[in-house]
Short mmCIF file of all heavy atoms in Angstrom, two decimals:
data_model
loop_
_atom_site.label_atom_id
_atom_site.label_comp_id
_atom_site.label_asym_id
_atom_site.label_seq_id
_atom_site.Cartn_x
_atom_site.Cartn_y
_atom_site.Cartn_z
N MET A 165 -5.71 4.85 -21.85
CA MET A 165 -6.28 3.82 -22.69
C MET A 165 -7.24 2.93 -21.90
O MET A 165 -8.27 2.55 -22.41
CB MET A 165 -5.16 2.96 -23.29
CG MET A 165 -4.21 3.71 -24.22
SD MET A 165 -4.96 4.18 -25.77
CE MET A 165 -5.20 2.61 -26.53
N ALA A 166 -6.87 2.61 -20.67
CA ALA A 166 -7.73 1.74 -19.87
C ALA A 166 -9.08 2.40 -19.58
O ALA A 166 -10.11 1.74 -19.61
CB ALA A 166 -7.04 1.37 -18.56
N LEU A 167 -9.06 3.71 -19.33
CA LEU A 167 -10.33 4.40 -19.08
C LEU A 167 -11.22 4.37 -20.31
O LEU A 167 -12.44 4.20 -20.19
CB LEU A 167 -10.06 5.85 -18.65
CG LEU A 167 -9.31 6.03 -17.34
CD1 LEU A 167 -9.03 7.51 -17.09
CD2 LEU A 167 -10.06 5.43 -16.18
N LEU A 168 -10.63 4.51 -21.47
CA LEU A 168 -11.42 4.42 -22.71
C LEU A 168 -11.95 3.01 -22.91
O LEU A 168 -13.11 2.82 -23.26
CB LEU A 168 -10.56 4.84 -23.90
CG LEU A 168 -10.13 6.30 -23.94
CD1 LEU A 168 -9.15 6.53 -25.08
CD2 LEU A 168 -11.33 7.21 -24.07
N GLU A 169 -11.10 2.00 -22.68
CA GLU A 169 -11.51 0.61 -22.85
C GLU A 169 -12.65 0.25 -21.90
O GLU A 169 -13.56 -0.47 -22.25
CB GLU A 169 -10.32 -0.32 -22.62
CG GLU A 169 -10.63 -1.77 -22.88
CD GLU A 169 -9.42 -2.66 -22.77
OE1 GLU A 169 -8.29 -2.20 -23.03
OE2 GLU A 169 -9.61 -3.85 -22.44
N LYS A 170 -12.58 0.77 -20.67
CA LYS A 170 -13.62 0.48 -19.69
C LYS A 170 -14.81 1.43 -19.81
O LYS A 170 -15.76 1.31 -19.07
CB LYS A 170 -13.03 0.55 -18.28
CG LYS A 170 -11.99 -0.53 -18.03
CD LYS A 170 -11.53 -0.57 -16.62
CE LYS A 170 -12.50 -1.22 -15.68
NZ LYS A 170 -12.94 -2.56 -15.98
N GLN A 171 -14.71 2.39 -20.75
CA GLN A 171 -15.78 3.35 -21.00
C GLN A 171 -16.11 4.17 -19.75
O GLN A 171 -17.26 4.40 -19.40
CB GLN A 171 -17.02 2.62 -21.53
CG GLN A 171 -16.74 1.85 -22.79
CD GLN A 171 -17.87 0.92 -23.18
OE1 GLN A 171 -18.95 0.94 -22.62
NE2 GLN A 171 -17.61 0.09 -24.18
N ILE A 172 -15.05 4.63 -19.07
CA ILE A 172 -15.18 5.45 -17.87
C ILE A 172 -14.96 6.91 -18.27
O ILE A 172 -13.96 7.24 -18.91
CB ILE A 172 -14.14 5.05 -16.81
CG1 ILE A 172 -14.32 3.59 -16.40
CG2 ILE A 172 -14.22 5.98 -15.60
CD1 ILE A 172 -13.21 3.05 -15.53
N ALA A 173 -15.90 7.76 -17.90
CA ALA A 173 -15.75 9.19 -18.20
C ALA A 173 -14.60 9.77 -17.39
O ALA A 173 -14.40 9.40 -16.23
CB ALA A 173 -17.04 9.92 -17.88
N PHE A 174 -13.82 10.65 -18.01
CA PHE A 174 -12.70 11.28 -17.32
C PHE A 174 -12.41 12.64 -17.93
O PHE A 174 -12.86 12.94 -19.03
CB PHE A 174 -11.44 10.40 -17.35
CG PHE A 174 -10.89 10.18 -18.74
CD1 PHE A 174 -9.84 10.95 -19.21
CD2 PHE A 174 -11.41 9.19 -19.57
CE1 PHE A 174 -9.33 10.76 -20.48
CE2 PHE A 174 -10.91 8.98 -20.84
CZ PHE A 174 -9.86 9.77 -21.30
N GLU A 175 -11.67 13.44 -17.20
CA GLU A 175 -11.28 14.75 -17.67
C GLU A 175 -9.77 14.73 -17.95
O GLU A 175 -8.97 14.74 -17.02
CB GLU A 175 -11.57 15.82 -16.62
CG GLU A 175 -11.08 17.19 -17.01
CD GLU A 175 -11.19 18.20 -15.88
OE1 GLU A 175 -11.74 17.88 -14.82
OE2 GLU A 175 -10.72 19.32 -16.08
N PRO A 176 -9.38 14.68 -19.23
CA PRO A 176 -7.94 14.72 -19.52
C PRO A 176 -7.40 16.13 -19.29
O PRO A 176 -8.08 17.12 -19.56
CB PRO A 176 -7.87 14.33 -20.99
CG PRO A 176 -9.19 14.73 -21.55
CD PRO A 176 -10.18 14.59 -20.42
N ILE A 177 -6.20 16.20 -18.78
CA ILE A 177 -5.55 17.49 -18.55
C ILE A 177 -4.21 17.47 -19.27
O ILE A 177 -3.37 16.61 -18.99
CB ILE A 177 -5.37 17.75 -17.04
CG1 ILE A 177 -6.73 17.80 -16.36
CG2 ILE A 177 -4.58 19.03 -16.81
CD1 ILE A 177 -6.68 17.90 -14.87
N ALA A 178 -4.05 18.39 -20.20
CA ALA A 178 -2.81 18.47 -20.98
C ALA A 178 -1.71 19.11 -20.14
O ALA A 178 -1.94 20.11 -19.45
CB ALA A 178 -3.04 19.27 -22.26
N LEU A 179 -0.53 18.52 -20.20
CA LEU A 179 0.62 19.05 -19.48
C LEU A 179 1.76 19.31 -20.44
O LEU A 179 1.98 18.53 -21.38
CB LEU A 179 1.11 18.06 -18.42
CG LEU A 179 0.20 17.77 -17.25
CD1 LEU A 179 0.80 16.68 -16.37
CD2 LEU A 179 -0.04 19.01 -16.44
N ASN A 180 2.50 20.36 -20.20
CA ASN A 180 3.74 20.62 -20.92
C ASN A 180 4.79 19.75 -20.26
O ASN A 180 5.13 19.94 -19.09
CB ASN A 180 4.10 22.11 -20.81
CG ASN A 180 5.43 22.44 -21.44
OD1 ASN A 180 6.28 21.58 -21.65
ND2 ASN A 180 5.62 23.70 -21.73
N LEU A 181 5.33 18.79 -20.99
CA LEU A 181 6.26 17.82 -20.40
C LEU A 181 7.61 18.42 -20.04
O LEU A 181 8.44 17.75 -19.43
CB LEU A 181 6.43 16.64 -21.34
CG LEU A 181 5.16 15.85 -21.63
CD1 LEU A 181 5.45 14.69 -22.56
CD2 LEU A 181 4.52 15.37 -20.35
N ASP A 182 7.84 19.67 -20.39
CA ASP A 182 9.09 20.32 -20.02
C ASP A 182 9.05 20.91 -18.62
O ASP A 182 10.10 21.15 -18.03
CB ASP A 182 9.44 21.44 -21.02
CG ASP A 182 9.83 20.89 -22.38
OD1 ASP A 182 10.34 19.75 -22.43
OD2 ASP A 182 9.63 21.60 -23.37
N ALA A 183 7.84 21.18 -18.08
CA ALA A 183 7.83 21.88 -16.80
C ALA A 183 6.58 21.69 -15.95
O ALA A 183 6.67 21.82 -14.73
CB ALA A 183 8.03 23.37 -17.04
N ASP A 184 5.45 21.41 -16.54
CA ASP A 184 4.19 21.43 -15.78
C ASP A 184 4.19 20.47 -14.59
O ASP A 184 3.58 20.75 -13.56
CB ASP A 184 3.00 21.12 -16.67
CG ASP A 184 2.66 22.28 -17.59
OD1 ASP A 184 3.22 23.38 -17.41
OD2 ASP A 184 1.84 22.07 -18.51
N HIS A 185 4.85 19.33 -14.71
CA HIS A 185 4.83 18.36 -13.61
C HIS A 185 5.75 18.78 -12.45
O HIS A 185 5.82 18.10 -11.44
CB HIS A 185 5.16 16.96 -14.10
CG HIS A 185 6.47 16.80 -14.79
ND1 HIS A 185 6.82 17.49 -15.91
CD2 HIS A 185 7.53 16.03 -14.49
CE1 HIS A 185 8.03 17.16 -16.29
NE2 HIS A 185 8.48 16.27 -15.44
N PHE A 186 6.44 19.91 -12.59
CA PHE A 186 7.23 20.47 -11.49
C PHE A 186 6.57 21.70 -10.87
O PHE A 186 7.09 22.27 -9.93
CB PHE A 186 8.63 20.85 -11.99
CG PHE A 186 9.44 19.66 -12.41
CD1 PHE A 186 9.65 19.39 -13.75
CD2 PHE A 186 9.99 18.81 -11.47
CE1 PHE A 186 10.40 18.29 -14.15
CE2 PHE A 186 10.74 17.70 -11.85
CZ PHE A 186 10.94 17.44 -13.20
N ALA A 187 5.42 22.09 -11.40
CA ALA A 187 4.70 23.26 -10.89
C ALA A 187 4.12 22.95 -9.51
O ALA A 187 3.71 21.82 -9.23
CB ALA A 187 3.58 23.66 -11.85
N PRO A 188 4.08 23.94 -8.62
CA PRO A 188 3.58 23.71 -7.26
C PRO A 188 2.18 23.10 -7.20
O PRO A 188 1.93 22.23 -6.36
CB PRO A 188 3.60 25.11 -6.64
CG PRO A 188 4.65 25.85 -7.40
CD PRO A 188 4.57 25.31 -8.81
N ASP A 189 1.27 23.51 -8.09
CA ASP A 189 -0.08 22.95 -8.04
C ASP A 189 -0.11 21.47 -8.42
O ASP A 189 -0.87 20.69 -7.87
CB ASP A 189 -1.06 23.77 -8.89
CG ASP A 189 -0.63 23.91 -10.34
OD1 ASP A 189 0.57 23.79 -10.62
OD2 ASP A 189 -1.51 24.17 -11.18
N PHE A 190 0.77 21.07 -9.35
CA PHE A 190 0.84 19.65 -9.70
C PHE A 190 1.55 18.86 -8.61
O PHE A 190 1.14 17.75 -8.26
CB PHE A 190 1.56 19.45 -11.05
CG PHE A 190 1.52 18.02 -11.51
CD1 PHE A 190 0.41 17.52 -12.16
CD2 PHE A 190 2.58 17.16 -11.27
CE1 PHE A 190 0.36 16.19 -12.58
CE2 PHE A 190 2.55 15.84 -11.68
CZ PHE A 190 1.43 15.35 -12.32
N LEU A 191 2.61 19.42 -8.03
CA LEU A 191 3.33 18.74 -6.96
C LEU A 191 2.46 18.53 -5.73
O LEU A 191 2.67 17.58 -4.97
CB LEU A 191 4.59 19.52 -6.59
CG LEU A 191 5.68 19.52 -7.66
CD1 LEU A 191 6.84 20.39 -7.22
CD2 LEU A 191 6.13 18.12 -7.98
N ALA A 192 1.47 19.37 -5.54
CA ALA A 192 0.53 19.17 -4.43
C ALA A 192 -0.29 17.90 -4.62
O ALA A 192 -0.68 17.25 -3.65
CB ALA A 192 -0.39 20.38 -4.31
N ILE A 193 -0.51 17.53 -5.87
CA ILE A 193 -1.26 16.31 -6.19
C ILE A 193 -0.32 15.11 -6.25
O ILE A 193 -0.61 14.04 -5.75
CB ILE A 193 -1.99 16.46 -7.54
CG1 ILE A 193 -3.01 17.59 -7.46
CG2 ILE A 193 -2.67 15.16 -7.95
CD1 ILE A 193 -3.60 17.97 -8.80
N ASN A 194 0.82 15.29 -6.91
CA ASN A 194 1.77 14.20 -7.13
C ASN A 194 3.19 14.68 -6.83
O ASN A 194 3.88 15.15 -7.73
CB ASN A 194 1.65 13.69 -8.57
CG ASN A 194 2.45 12.42 -8.78
OD1 ASN A 194 3.27 12.05 -7.96
ND2 ASN A 194 2.20 11.76 -9.88
N PRO A 195 3.64 14.53 -5.61
CA PRO A 195 4.96 15.02 -5.23
C PRO A 195 6.12 14.26 -5.86
O PRO A 195 7.27 14.67 -5.73
CB PRO A 195 4.97 14.89 -3.71
CG PRO A 195 3.97 13.83 -3.42
CD PRO A 195 2.92 13.96 -4.49
N PHE A 196 5.84 13.16 -6.56
CA PHE A 196 6.90 12.36 -7.17
C PHE A 196 7.23 12.81 -8.60
O PHE A 196 8.02 12.18 -9.28
CB PHE A 196 6.52 10.88 -7.16
CG PHE A 196 6.29 10.36 -5.77
CD1 PHE A 196 5.02 10.08 -5.33
CD2 PHE A 196 7.35 10.19 -4.90
CE1 PHE A 196 4.79 9.62 -4.05
CE2 PHE A 196 7.14 9.72 -3.61
CZ PHE A 196 5.86 9.44 -3.18
N HIS A 197 6.58 13.87 -9.08
CA HIS A 197 6.82 14.44 -10.40
C HIS A 197 6.40 13.53 -11.55
O HIS A 197 6.73 13.80 -12.69
CB HIS A 197 8.31 14.80 -10.63
CG HIS A 197 8.90 15.64 -9.56
ND1 HIS A 197 8.77 17.00 -9.54
CD2 HIS A 197 9.65 15.31 -8.47
CE1 HIS A 197 9.43 17.48 -8.49
NE2 HIS A 197 9.95 16.48 -7.83
N ARG A 198 5.71 12.45 -11.27
CA ARG A 198 5.30 11.54 -12.34
C ARG A 198 4.03 12.07 -12.99
O ARG A 198 3.18 12.65 -12.34
CB ARG A 198 5.07 10.15 -11.79
CG ARG A 198 6.35 9.55 -11.24
CD ARG A 198 6.16 8.09 -10.90
NE ARG A 198 7.38 7.56 -10.34
CZ ARG A 198 7.48 7.09 -9.10
NH1 ARG A 198 6.42 7.05 -8.33
NH2 ARG A 198 8.62 6.63 -8.67
N ILE A 199 3.95 11.84 -14.29
CA ILE A 199 2.82 12.38 -15.05
C ILE A 199 1.53 11.64 -14.73
O ILE A 199 0.48 12.24 -14.58
CB ILE A 199 3.10 12.34 -16.57
CG1 ILE A 199 4.35 13.16 -16.89
CG2 ILE A 199 1.90 12.81 -17.36
CD1 ILE A 199 4.27 14.62 -16.53
N GLN A 200 1.58 10.32 -14.63
CA GLN A 200 0.33 9.60 -14.38
C GLN A 200 -0.16 9.89 -12.97
O GLN A 200 0.58 9.80 -12.01
CB GLN A 200 0.51 8.09 -14.59
CG GLN A 200 1.37 7.38 -13.56
CD GLN A 200 2.85 7.47 -13.81
OE1 GLN A 200 3.29 8.11 -14.73
NE2 GLN A 200 3.63 6.82 -12.99
N VAL A 201 -1.41 10.28 -12.90
CA VAL A 201 -2.05 10.52 -11.60
C VAL A 201 -3.56 10.41 -11.78
O VAL A 201 -4.10 10.85 -12.79
CB VAL A 201 -1.64 11.88 -10.99
CG1 VAL A 201 -2.09 13.03 -11.86
CG2 VAL A 201 -2.16 12.05 -9.59
N LEU A 202 -4.19 9.78 -10.84
CA LEU A 202 -5.65 9.66 -10.84
C LEU A 202 -6.16 10.35 -9.59
O LEU A 202 -5.71 10.05 -8.48
CB LEU A 202 -6.07 8.19 -10.81
CG LEU A 202 -7.56 7.95 -10.57
CD1 LEU A 202 -8.37 8.31 -11.79
CD2 LEU A 202 -7.80 6.51 -10.16
N VAL A 203 -7.07 11.28 -9.77
CA VAL A 203 -7.75 11.92 -8.65
C VAL A 203 -9.23 11.60 -8.80
O VAL A 203 -9.86 11.97 -9.79
CB VAL A 203 -7.52 13.45 -8.63
CG1 VAL A 203 -8.27 14.09 -7.49
CG2 VAL A 203 -6.03 13.76 -8.55
N ASP A 204 -9.78 10.88 -7.82
CA ASP A 204 -11.18 10.48 -7.84
C ASP A 204 -11.77 10.81 -6.47
O ASP A 204 -11.53 10.08 -5.50
CB ASP A 204 -11.30 8.99 -8.14
CG ASP A 204 -12.73 8.53 -8.27
OD1 ASP A 204 -13.65 9.37 -8.25
OD2 ASP A 204 -12.94 7.31 -8.41
N GLU A 205 -12.46 11.94 -6.41
CA GLU A 205 -13.01 12.45 -5.15
C GLU A 205 -11.87 12.64 -4.14
O GLU A 205 -10.97 13.42 -4.38
CB GLU A 205 -14.14 11.56 -4.65
CG GLU A 205 -15.32 11.55 -5.61
CD GLU A 205 -16.44 10.66 -5.14
OE1 GLU A 205 -16.42 10.20 -3.98
OE2 GLU A 205 -17.36 10.43 -5.94
N ASP A 206 -11.85 11.88 -3.05
CA ASP A 206 -10.80 12.06 -2.04
C ASP A 206 -9.64 11.07 -2.20
O ASP A 206 -8.76 11.00 -1.35
CB ASP A 206 -11.39 11.96 -0.63
CG ASP A 206 -12.04 10.61 -0.35
OD1 ASP A 206 -12.28 9.86 -1.31
OD2 ASP A 206 -12.31 10.32 0.83
N LEU A 207 -9.61 10.33 -3.29
CA LEU A 207 -8.56 9.36 -3.56
C LEU A 207 -7.60 9.90 -4.62
O LEU A 207 -8.03 10.37 -5.67
CB LEU A 207 -9.16 8.04 -4.06
CG LEU A 207 -8.17 6.98 -4.51
CD1 LEU A 207 -7.40 6.43 -3.31
CD2 LEU A 207 -8.89 5.87 -5.25
N THR A 208 -6.30 9.85 -4.34
CA THR A 208 -5.27 10.20 -5.31
C THR A 208 -4.33 9.01 -5.45
O THR A 208 -3.81 8.51 -4.45
CB THR A 208 -4.48 11.45 -4.88
OG1 THR A 208 -5.39 12.54 -4.73
CG2 THR A 208 -3.42 11.81 -5.90
N VAL A 209 -4.13 8.55 -6.69
CA VAL A 209 -3.25 7.41 -6.98
C VAL A 209 -2.23 7.86 -8.00
O VAL A 209 -2.59 8.45 -9.02
CB VAL A 209 -4.07 6.20 -7.52
CG1 VAL A 209 -3.18 4.98 -7.69
CG2 VAL A 209 -5.24 5.88 -6.61
N VAL A 210 -0.94 7.57 -7.75
CA VAL A 210 0.12 8.10 -8.61
C VAL A 210 0.95 7.04 -9.33
O VAL A 210 1.88 7.38 -10.05
CB VAL A 210 1.06 9.04 -7.81
CG1 VAL A 210 0.29 10.23 -7.28
CG2 VAL A 210 1.77 8.31 -6.69
N GLU A 211 0.64 5.78 -9.17
CA GLU A 211 1.37 4.70 -9.85
C GLU A 211 0.46 4.06 -10.89
O GLU A 211 -0.69 3.76 -10.61
CB GLU A 211 1.82 3.64 -8.85
CG GLU A 211 2.85 4.11 -7.85
CD GLU A 211 4.21 4.33 -8.50
OE1 GLU A 211 4.49 3.75 -9.57
OE2 GLU A 211 4.99 5.11 -7.92
N SER A 212 1.00 3.84 -12.08
CA SER A 212 0.20 3.31 -13.19
C SER A 212 -0.51 2.01 -12.86
O SER A 212 -1.71 1.87 -13.10
CB SER A 212 1.09 3.10 -14.42
OG SER A 212 1.59 4.31 -14.88
N LEU A 213 0.21 1.02 -12.31
CA LEU A 213 -0.41 -0.26 -12.01
C LEU A 213 -1.46 -0.13 -10.91
O LEU A 213 -2.50 -0.79 -10.96
CB LEU A 213 0.65 -1.29 -11.63
CG LEU A 213 1.57 -1.71 -12.77
CD1 LEU A 213 2.63 -2.68 -12.26
CD2 LEU A 213 0.78 -2.33 -13.91
N ALA A 214 -1.21 0.73 -9.95
CA ALA A 214 -2.20 0.96 -8.89
C ALA A 214 -3.45 1.63 -9.45
O ALA A 214 -4.57 1.33 -9.02
CB ALA A 214 -1.59 1.80 -7.77
N ILE A 215 -3.26 2.53 -10.42
CA ILE A 215 -4.40 3.17 -11.08
C ILE A 215 -5.24 2.13 -11.80
O ILE A 215 -6.47 2.09 -11.67
CB ILE A 215 -3.94 4.29 -12.04
CG1 ILE A 215 -3.35 5.45 -11.24
CG2 ILE A 215 -5.09 4.75 -12.93
CD1 ILE A 215 -2.64 6.49 -12.10
N LEU A 216 -4.58 1.24 -12.55
CA LEU A 216 -5.30 0.19 -13.27
C LEU A 216 -6.04 -0.73 -12.30
O LEU A 216 -7.20 -1.09 -12.52
CB LEU A 216 -4.34 -0.63 -14.12
CG LEU A 216 -3.72 0.09 -15.31
CD1 LEU A 216 -2.67 -0.79 -15.97
CD2 LEU A 216 -4.78 0.51 -16.31
N ASP A 217 -5.37 -1.11 -11.22
CA ASP A 217 -5.98 -1.98 -10.22
C ASP A 217 -7.19 -1.31 -9.58
O ASP A 217 -8.25 -1.93 -9.40
CB ASP A 217 -4.95 -2.35 -9.16
CG ASP A 217 -5.47 -3.40 -8.21
OD1 ASP A 217 -5.98 -4.44 -8.67
OD2 ASP A 217 -5.35 -3.18 -6.99
N ASP A 218 -7.06 -0.05 -9.25
CA ASP A 218 -8.17 0.69 -8.64
C ASP A 218 -9.36 0.79 -9.59
O ASP A 218 -10.51 0.56 -9.18
CB ASP A 218 -7.71 2.10 -8.25
CG ASP A 218 -8.86 2.92 -7.72
OD1 ASP A 218 -9.26 2.71 -6.56
OD2 ASP A 218 -9.40 3.76 -8.47
N ARG A 219 -9.11 1.13 -10.82
CA ARG A 219 -10.21 1.26 -11.79
C ARG A 219 -10.88 -0.09 -12.03
O ARG A 219 -12.10 -0.17 -12.18
CB ARG A 219 -9.72 1.85 -13.12
CG ARG A 219 -9.19 3.28 -13.00
CD ARG A 219 -10.23 4.30 -12.61
NE ARG A 219 -10.37 4.39 -11.15
CZ ARG A 219 -11.22 5.16 -10.51
NH1 ARG A 219 -12.04 5.94 -11.17
NH2 ARG A 219 -11.28 5.19 -9.20
N GLU A 220 -10.09 -1.16 -12.10
CA GLU A 220 -10.66 -2.50 -12.31
C GLU A 220 -11.52 -2.90 -11.12
O GLU A 220 -12.58 -3.50 -11.29
CB GLU A 220 -9.54 -3.51 -12.56
CG GLU A 220 -10.02 -4.87 -13.01
CD GLU A 220 -10.67 -4.88 -14.37
OE1 GLU A 220 -10.52 -3.92 -15.16
OE2 GLU A 220 -11.34 -5.88 -14.69
N ALA A 221 -11.08 -2.55 -9.91
CA ALA A 221 -11.86 -2.90 -8.71
C ALA A 221 -13.14 -2.07 -8.63
O ALA A 221 -14.20 -2.59 -8.28
CB ALA A 221 -11.01 -2.66 -7.46
N LYS A 222 -13.05 -0.80 -8.97
CA LYS A 222 -14.23 0.07 -8.86
C LYS A 222 -15.20 -0.15 -10.02
O LYS A 222 -16.41 -0.03 -9.84
CB LYS A 222 -13.78 1.54 -8.82
CG LYS A 222 -14.93 2.50 -8.55
CD LYS A 222 -14.44 3.89 -8.24
CE LYS A 222 -15.62 4.80 -7.93
NZ LYS A 222 -15.18 6.15 -7.54
N TYR A 223 -14.68 -0.45 -11.19
CA TYR A 223 -15.51 -0.66 -12.40
C TYR A 223 -15.14 -2.00 -13.02
O TYR A 223 -14.39 -2.06 -13.99
CB TYR A 223 -15.26 0.47 -13.40
CG TYR A 223 -15.50 1.86 -12.87
CD1 TYR A 223 -14.46 2.64 -12.40
CD2 TYR A 223 -16.79 2.39 -12.83
CE1 TYR A 223 -14.68 3.92 -11.91
CE2 TYR A 223 -17.02 3.67 -12.34
CZ TYR A 223 -15.96 4.43 -11.88
OH TYR A 223 -16.18 5.69 -11.39
N PRO A 224 -15.63 -3.11 -12.49
CA PRO A 224 -15.22 -4.43 -12.97
C PRO A 224 -15.69 -4.78 -14.38
O PRO A 224 -15.10 -5.66 -15.02
CB PRO A 224 -15.81 -5.39 -11.94
CG PRO A 224 -16.92 -4.63 -11.28
CD PRO A 224 -16.55 -3.19 -11.36
N THR A 225 -16.72 -4.11 -14.87
CA THR A 225 -17.17 -4.39 -16.24
C THR A 225 -17.21 -3.10 -17.04
O THR A 225 -17.61 -2.06 -16.50
CB THR A 225 -18.57 -5.04 -16.25
OG1 THR A 225 -19.48 -4.21 -15.55
CG2 THR A 225 -18.54 -6.42 -15.63
N PRO A 226 -16.79 -3.16 -18.28
CA PRO A 226 -16.14 -4.29 -18.93
C PRO A 226 -14.74 -4.50 -18.38
O PRO A 226 -14.07 -3.54 -18.01
CB PRO A 226 -16.11 -3.89 -20.40
CG PRO A 226 -16.10 -2.40 -20.39
CD PRO A 226 -16.88 -1.99 -19.17
N ALA A 227 -14.34 -5.75 -18.34
CA ALA A 227 -13.00 -6.08 -17.83
C ALA A 227 -11.94 -5.60 -18.81
O ALA A 227 -12.17 -5.55 -20.02
CB ALA A 227 -12.88 -7.58 -17.63
N LEU A 228 -10.79 -5.24 -18.27
CA LEU A 228 -9.67 -4.87 -19.14
C LEU A 228 -9.20 -6.09 -19.90
O LEU A 228 -9.15 -7.20 -19.37
CB LEU A 228 -8.51 -4.32 -18.31
CG LEU A 228 -8.73 -2.94 -17.70
CD1 LEU A 228 -7.58 -2.60 -16.76
CD2 LEU A 228 -8.85 -1.88 -18.78
N SER A 229 -8.87 -5.92 -21.15
CA SER A 229 -8.36 -7.03 -21.95
C SER A 229 -6.84 -7.04 -21.85
O SER A 229 -6.15 -6.27 -22.50
CB SER A 229 -8.81 -6.90 -23.41
OG SER A 229 -8.37 -5.66 -23.93
N ILE A 230 -6.34 -7.91 -20.97
CA ILE A 230 -4.91 -8.04 -20.75
C ILE A 230 -4.44 -9.31 -21.45
O ILE A 230 -4.97 -10.38 -21.21
CB ILE A 230 -4.60 -8.09 -19.25
CG1 ILE A 230 -5.11 -6.81 -18.58
CG2 ILE A 230 -3.12 -8.30 -19.00
CD1 ILE A 230 -5.02 -6.81 -17.08
N PRO A 231 -3.43 -9.19 -22.34
CA PRO A 231 -2.96 -10.36 -23.07
C PRO A 231 -2.51 -11.47 -22.13
O PRO A 231 -1.91 -11.20 -21.09
CB PRO A 231 -1.78 -9.83 -23.88
CG PRO A 231 -1.97 -8.35 -23.93
CD PRO A 231 -2.71 -7.97 -22.68
N ALA A 232 -2.81 -12.72 -22.49
CA ALA A 232 -2.47 -13.87 -21.66
C ALA A 232 -0.98 -13.97 -21.37
O ALA A 232 -0.58 -14.37 -20.30
CB ALA A 232 -2.96 -15.15 -22.34
N GLU A 233 -0.13 -13.55 -22.33
CA GLU A 233 1.31 -13.67 -22.13
C GLU A 233 1.81 -12.76 -20.99
O GLU A 233 2.91 -12.93 -20.48
CB GLU A 233 2.09 -13.39 -23.42
CG GLU A 233 1.85 -12.04 -24.03
CD GLU A 233 0.71 -12.02 -25.04
OE1 GLU A 233 -0.06 -13.00 -25.12
OE2 GLU A 233 0.57 -11.01 -25.74
N THR A 234 1.01 -11.82 -20.58
CA THR A 234 1.37 -10.95 -19.47
C THR A 234 1.54 -11.75 -18.19
O THR A 234 2.34 -11.41 -17.32
CB THR A 234 0.29 -9.86 -19.27
OG1 THR A 234 0.13 -9.15 -20.48
CG2 THR A 234 0.65 -8.91 -18.16
N TYR A 235 0.81 -12.84 -18.05
CA TYR A 235 0.82 -13.63 -16.83
C TYR A 235 1.88 -14.72 -16.83
O TYR A 235 1.98 -15.47 -15.89
CB TYR A 235 -0.56 -14.24 -16.59
CG TYR A 235 -1.63 -13.20 -16.41
CD1 TYR A 235 -2.55 -12.94 -17.42
CD2 TYR A 235 -1.69 -12.45 -15.24
CE1 TYR A 235 -3.52 -11.96 -17.26
CE2 TYR A 235 -2.66 -11.46 -15.08
CZ TYR A 235 -3.57 -11.24 -16.09
OH TYR A 235 -4.52 -10.26 -15.93
N LEU A 236 2.65 -14.83 -17.87
CA LEU A 236 3.67 -15.90 -17.93
C LEU A 236 4.85 -15.62 -17.07
O LEU A 236 5.27 -14.62 -16.75
CB LEU A 236 4.11 -16.12 -19.39
CG LEU A 236 3.01 -16.58 -20.34
CD1 LEU A 236 3.56 -16.70 -21.75
CD2 LEU A 236 2.45 -17.90 -19.88
#
């Protein structure tokens, strides 16, 4: 959703949630078996908040619209 909101081009990859994240080729990218992963050239990020932080730093505009109550 954040990539769409920031209008950043990306390549979505469909995964079978029953097994694909345990496949050797996926584990080479994300050894923690988590579905969220960002690969950008030589950078690989596997945590959702770190992905958001990285995208916001690399593409500051348009800014992500984060509800004010998030900061309470």
Side-chain angles (χ1 to χ4, degrees):
M165 297 289 292
L167 296 176
L168 294 173
E169 184 174 332
K170 295 187 77 55
Q171 302 169 9
I172 300 171
F174 64 98
E175 176 188 354
I177 298 173
L179 294 175
N180 175 340
L181 299 180
D182 290 332
D184 287 350
H185 59 300
F186 294 105
D189 56 337
F190 186 82
L191 291 177
I193 298 170
N194 189 346
F196 301 107
H197 308 277
R198 296 189 182 118
I199 301 299
Q200 70 277 3
V201 63
L202 170 73
V203 178
D204 184 6
E205 297 179 11
D206 60 346
L207 174 69
T208 301
V209 185
V210 298
E211 294 289 338
S212 296
L213 291 177
I215 292 170
L216 292 174
D217 188 50
D218 175 77
R219 296 295 86 182
E220 189 67 15
K222 186 169 182 177
Y223 304 97
T225 56
L228 289 173
S229 57
I230 301 173
E233 58 270 12
T234 303
Y235 298 106
L236 297 178

